[in-house]
Amino acid sequence: GEMTNAARAYLASFQEDSTGVGAPAALFKLGASLAAIGQTQDACVTLAEVDLRFPGDPAATDAMTTMQSLGCS
């Protein structure tokens, strides 16, 4: 339940301010939380979105690394 609640919180945070300074990290953490609860396909889509929306941000680098470890295509 903890990771499901975390995913909901990160989604809410991102939706509140999708262009703010914390948005890249919130989107990355949402993707990581989805992966942790076994929603790998949704995690891959979300993590790819980090790099699309915020190229060059450290969260985008983390997202790409996580995608590789999950085997996202």
Side-chain angles (χ1 to χ4, degrees), residues 15-28:
Q15 287 176 330
E16 281 181 28
D17 190 2
S18 63
T19 59
V21 66
L27 194 57
F28 166 70

